């Protein structure tokens, strides 16, 4: 092969052809460096059939510069890149960027030189050299590490090295970590768990594509069950990917995993050090690491020999990426399973309606774990009608809930208050003139964060100090915080129970796996009495002494009114209720609401999950809403509102008129300004029999709009703002 097609890491370009110089060996999947103008870019050699390009004279082709010494990307991953790009209207290069996200991993694989004193004493000793010789006994490290340890300059260490006082060892930067062992921990499964894990283990041995929906109430032991499938994959010497919806959940997962398998899996998330990303990327590509637990981006890693994918808490909407390539990790996981020909387990206590629909269609196999494990019972859920059980003025907790908190404190048991609102107050108003403090870049309120003493926009990240006087009328002390966030609820708890030890759990306080671990340790040590938290505390955690859960405002989630509002509220409240009474002690759950008769609340208090799902699914079927048909959103934005509006109108006017394909809008987006850009939306509705992607591609590709206008397509949208 002396001519190859290369997909370069440049989203603006399609694939390009290059000449392979004499003596260079490449194959499809090889990671190469190629010239582009005066620059040098990484890229991947692709099959010629995948991306047709214009033929040009072979003599004009530029030669590839070099092939990287890493395993080529395997065909299943290359097919996944093509599928993701086509399905979600992304450029193949922007999907490839997620695969090659650790540039350092394939940039070089030179060994690192480390040094250690060998007993030689140089003839001329300076005070600096003396210091280094004393401090570095029994130490091995790179030149800069040794300089740091000894508190001397790098030049001093290099000088000593030239005098022969060190022995050198070249170590690979890609040393693999200890691998988990399938039979390390003892397992004690119930009959239900054993039956389900047998089915999963069989599927792993069969090495065929097969999606499972593992459905079990919180506390039914889903993790133990899919651990058995992981063990089986390890026995087959295969790799396993476990996807979790939040980094904060990684730490408790790692602990449980370590107990079962005797070693921790590798981790993959955005908060990792570059050097760790590099090591882990490499270890997976070379097959030296067996299990990885990660955020959605771990889906696009170059596994050498993947045998199983587990998506835990698979209903979580945080698996949907909302910027860049707008993919849904749960759906891409199933596609990766298809291309790799392996089983995929979607685990959830409150499955997404989309996943249940796949079961009904016969595409996924349903595996149920009905009972709570170890005799624990589901907690009783009781609605507190806020119009009758009225909190005192300026407070947010109903008297019944306060009394229950007090009882729990006296018994030495832990309580959790759930409110899905970060910060102190969602809105700041001027009492004098009614002015409301908005974000200057977005159609959104600035949220008060009292702990960090500032106002923040949760959409664009803009922050400002809390003003002392009203920016509009100039009145002093006229600004009032309206409504509660978790910080305000925590203040209320401290006023009511000054002796209680409290903790706030949100993405503002638990922003790293380490912080999550600290929180878990404190809970387990009994150092916290009352936790106030956002959706971050609704899942994954297992605290035996947590026996009371209070949902501060069950009506919040229903306000948005989008397609999934009721489903999401049900899932969130059922999940947070599931935190209560997970061991021998029974749990109690109070749900504060102004609408105790709303179907969601009724389903929760009657523990009627099936009834709720049946009604929701029927409503969607009637409305021909997803999953019974498909949606795609078109988001048009520009700093110039007129340009954005005209482009949106042009898109609307040129919409194809086809059976089973309709376009609604354009209309200004609910979040009509975001990061200084004006936004307009259209919604495409298509029957499942229609080829949505092809129709939209034909339609949008013919249109032209000003350069400063951005047109984004969001297939299967979850966000409607
Ligand atoms: Zn004012
Ligand atoms: Zn903003």
């Amino acid at each position: 092969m002396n001519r190859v097609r290369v997909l370069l890491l440049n989203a603006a370009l399609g694939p390009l052809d290059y000449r392979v110089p004499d003596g260079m060996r490449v194959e499809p999947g090889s990671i190469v460096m190629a010239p582009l103008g005066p620059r040098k870019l990484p890229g991947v050699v692709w099959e010629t059939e995948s991306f047709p390009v214009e033929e040009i004279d072979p003599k004009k082709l530029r030669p590839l510069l070099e092939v990287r010494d890493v395993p080529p990307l395997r065909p299943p991953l290359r097919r996944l890149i093509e599928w993701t790009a086509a399905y979600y209207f992304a450029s193949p290069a922007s999907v490839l960027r997620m695969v090659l996200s650790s540039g350092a991993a394939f940039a070089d694989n030179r060994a690192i030189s480390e040094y250690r004193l060998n007993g030689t004493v140089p003839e001329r000793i300076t005070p600096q050299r003396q210091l280094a010789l004393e401090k570095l006994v029994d130490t091995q490290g790179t030149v800069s590490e040794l300089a740091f340890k000894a508190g001397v300059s790098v030049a001093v260490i290099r000088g000593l090295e030239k005098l022969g006082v060190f022995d050198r060892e070249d170590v690979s930067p890609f040393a693999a970590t200890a691998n988990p062992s399938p039979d390390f921990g003892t397992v004690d499964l119930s009959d239900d768990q054993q039956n389900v894990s047998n089915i999963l283990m069989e599927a792993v041995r069969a090495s065929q594509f097969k999606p499972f929906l593992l459905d079990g109430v919180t506390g039914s032991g889903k993790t133990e069950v899919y651990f058995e499938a992981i063990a089986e994959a390890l026995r087959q010497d295969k790799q396993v990917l476990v996807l979790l919806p939040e980094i904060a959940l990684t730490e408790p997962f790692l602990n449980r995993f370590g107990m079962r398998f005797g070693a921790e899996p590798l981790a993959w998330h955005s908060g990792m050090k570059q050097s760790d990303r590099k090591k882990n990327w490499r270890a997976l590509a070379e097959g030296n690491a067996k299990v990885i637990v990660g955020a959605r981006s771990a889906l696009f890693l170059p596994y050498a020999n993947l045998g199983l994918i587990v998506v835990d808490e698979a209903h979580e909407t945080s698996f949907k990426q909302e910027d860049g390539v707008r993919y849904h990790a749960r759906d891409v996981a199933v596609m990766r399973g298809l291309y790799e020909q392996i089983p995929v387990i979607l685990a959830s206590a409150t499955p997404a309606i989309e996943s249940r629909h796949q079961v009904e269609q016969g595409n996924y196999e349903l595996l149920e774990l009905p009972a709570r494990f170890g005799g624990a019972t589901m907690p009783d859920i009781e609605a507190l009608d806020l119009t009758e059980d009225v909190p005192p003025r300026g407070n947010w907790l109903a008297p019944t809930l306060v009394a229950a908190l007090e009882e729990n404190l006296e018994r030495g048991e832990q309580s959790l208050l759930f409110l899905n609102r970060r910060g102190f107050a969602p809105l700041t108003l001027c009492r004098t003139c009614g002015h409301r403090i908005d974000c200057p870049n977005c159609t959104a309120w600035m949220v008060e964060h009292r702990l960090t003493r500032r106002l923040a926009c949760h959409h664009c990240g803009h922050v400002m100090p809390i003003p002392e006087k009203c920016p509009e009328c100039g009145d002093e002390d006229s600004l009032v915080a309206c409504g509660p966030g978790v910080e305000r609820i925590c203040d209320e708890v401290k006023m009511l129970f000054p002796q209680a030890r409290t903790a706030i759990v949100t993405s503002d306080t638990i922003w790293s796996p380490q912080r999550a671990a600290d929180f878990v340790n404190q809970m387990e040590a009994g150092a916290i009495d009352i936790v106030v938290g956002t959706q971050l505390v609704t899942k994954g955690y297992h605290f035996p002494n947590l026996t009371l859960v209070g949902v501060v405002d069950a009506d919040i989630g229903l306000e948005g009114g989008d397609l999934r509002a009721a489903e999401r509220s049900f899932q969130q409240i059922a999940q947070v209720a599931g935190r209560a009474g997970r061991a021998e002690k029974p749990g109690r759950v109070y749900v504060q609401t102004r609408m105790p008769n709303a179907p969601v609340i009724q389903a929760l208090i009657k523990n009627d999950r099936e009834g709720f799902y049946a009604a929701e699914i029927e409503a969607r079927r009637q409305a021909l809403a997803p999953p019974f048909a498909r949606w795609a959103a078109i988001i048009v934005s520009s700093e110039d509102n007129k340009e954005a509006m005209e482009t949106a109108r042009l898109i609307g006017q040129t919409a194809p008129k086809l059976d089973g394909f309709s376009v609604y809008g354009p209309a200004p987006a609910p979040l009509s300004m975001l990061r200084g850009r004006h936004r307009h939306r259209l919604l495409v509705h298509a029957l499942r029999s229609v080829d949505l992607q092809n129709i939209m591609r034909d339609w949008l590709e013919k249109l032209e709009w000003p350069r400063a206008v951005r047109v984004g397509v969001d297939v299967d949208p979850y966000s409607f703002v």
Side-chain angles (χ1 to χ4, degrees), residues 13 76 89 247 345 352 379 492 529 582 595 659 713:
L13 285 178
F89 287 83
I247 305 178
I345 303 172
E492 185 174 334
D529 299 311
R582 289 173 69 96
M595 301 183 282
D659 281 347
V713 177

Side-chain angles (χ1 to χ4, degrees), residues 439-444 446 457-462 674-675:
C439 173
N441 312 318
C442 309
T443 335
M446 293 296 286
C457 170
H458 289 177
H459 294 283
C460 73
H462 179 80
L674 177 63
R675 296 186 181 92

Side-chain angles (χ1 to χ4, degrees), residues 430 432-435 470 472-475 478:
C430 171
T432 311
C433 73
H435 176 70
C470 171
E472 191 68 19
C473 70
D475 241 20
S478 69

Side-chain angles (χ1 to χ4, degrees), residues 296-570:
R296 56 187 179 231
S297 56
L299 261 179
F300 292 97
L301 289 171
Y303 301 93
N305 183 19
L306 194 58
L308 173 68
I309 301 175
V310 178
V311 185
D312 204 352
E313 310 285 353
H315 61 279
E316 278 294 328
T317 49
S318 55
F319 280 123
K320 176 73 162 55
Q321 173 145 307
E322 294 293 355
D323 50 11
V325 183
R326 293 186 169 97
Y327 67 96
H328 198 306
R330 177 195 67 212
D331 298 341
V332 177
V334 173
M335 290 311 291
R336 181 136 202 187
L338 173 68
Y339 291 123
E340 300 275 358
Q341 284 296 305
I342 56 171
V344 180
I345 303 172
L346 310 180
S348 175
T350 51
I353 283 178
E354 282 80 1
S355 303
R356 294 186 49 128
H357 184 66
Q358 294 285 1
V359 171
E360 270 177 41
Q361 300 287 301
N363 299 329
Y364 296 180
E365 182 173 339
L366 177 65
L367 299 174
E368 287 176 294
L369 284 174
R372 278 202 153 186
F373 186 59
T377 51
M378 282 305 282
D380 283 332
I381 301 183
E382 195 179 313
L384 298 181
D385 185 345
L386 287 177
T387 61
E388 287 173 6
D389 202 351
V390 189
R393 200 177 149 73
N395 284 23
W396 313 95
L397 303 177
T400 309
L401 180 54
V402 172
L405 283 169
E406 188 168 8
E407 257 176 56
N408 241 36
L409 266 177
E410 279 165 10
R411 274 207 296 261
E413 296 177 8
Q414 293 167 316
S415 308
L416 163 64
L417 295 173
F418 167 68
L419 177 65
N420 206 17
R421 247 197 215 139
R422 291 159 51 207
F424 182 82
L427 169 64
T428 304
L429 271 181
C430 171
R431 213 175 352 219
T432 311
C433 73
H435 176 70
R436 185 181 76 178
I437 303 187
D438 287 328
C439 173
N441 312 318
C442 309
T443 335
W445 301 335
M446 293 296 286
V447 177
E448 181 179 348
H449 286 251
R450 202 161 278 189
L451 291 177
T452 48
R453 306 171 141 275
R454 58 190 188 178
L455 301 175
C457 170
H458 289 177
H459 294 283
C460 73
H462 179 80
V463 290
M464 56 169 87
I466 301 172
E468 283 171 12
K469 47 189 178 186
C470 171
E472 191 68 19
C473 70
D475 241 20
E476 282 182 40
D477 297 324
S478 69
L479 294 173
V480 282
C482 299
V486 282
E487 292 176 11
R488 196 169 203 175
I489 299 300
C490 194
D491 278 5
E492 185 174 334
V493 168
K494 284 179 187 158
M495 292 287 284
L496 290 164
F497 310 110
Q499 78 283 17
R501 295 158 304 168
T502 58
I504 295 176
V505 175
T506 73
S507 53
D508 300 308
T509 59
I510 306 283
W511 35 264
S512 72
Q514 187 51 49
R515 304 281 296 223
D518 293 345
F519 164 64
V520 171
N521 290 340
Q522 282 195 307
M523 278 299 278
E524 284 173 350
I528 299 171
D529 299 311
I530 301 175
V531 184
V532 186
T534 58
Q535 45 86 27
L536 215 54
V537 291
T538 61
K539 55 219 159 194
Y541 295 114
H542 177 84
F543 302 122
N545 199 35
L546 177 65
T547 55
L548 173 67
V549 167
V551 176
V552 176
D553 187 346
D555 309 333
I556 286 186
L558 295 168
E559 284 161 5
D562 72 56
L563 170 72
R564 297 182 181 84
E567 181 190 2
R568 215 165 27 222
S569 284
F570 181 84

Side-chain angles (χ1 to χ4, degrees), residues 634-653 666-667 672 676-682 703-711:
I634 303 176
I635 302 124
V636 183
S637 71
S638 170
E639 287 179 11
D640 179 342
N641 191 29
K642 189 158 163 279
E643 280 189 349
M645 221 158 63
E646 278 167 4
T647 305
R649 207 174 291 146
L650 169 74
I651 292 173
Q653 281 161 356
S672 60
R677 300 176 72 86
H678 298 271
R679 303 166 77 244
H680 297 263
R681 297 179 66 107
L682 297 98
L703 303 178
E704 277 178 28
W705 45 77
R707 286 180 67 90
V709 174
R710 254 185 249 151
V711 176

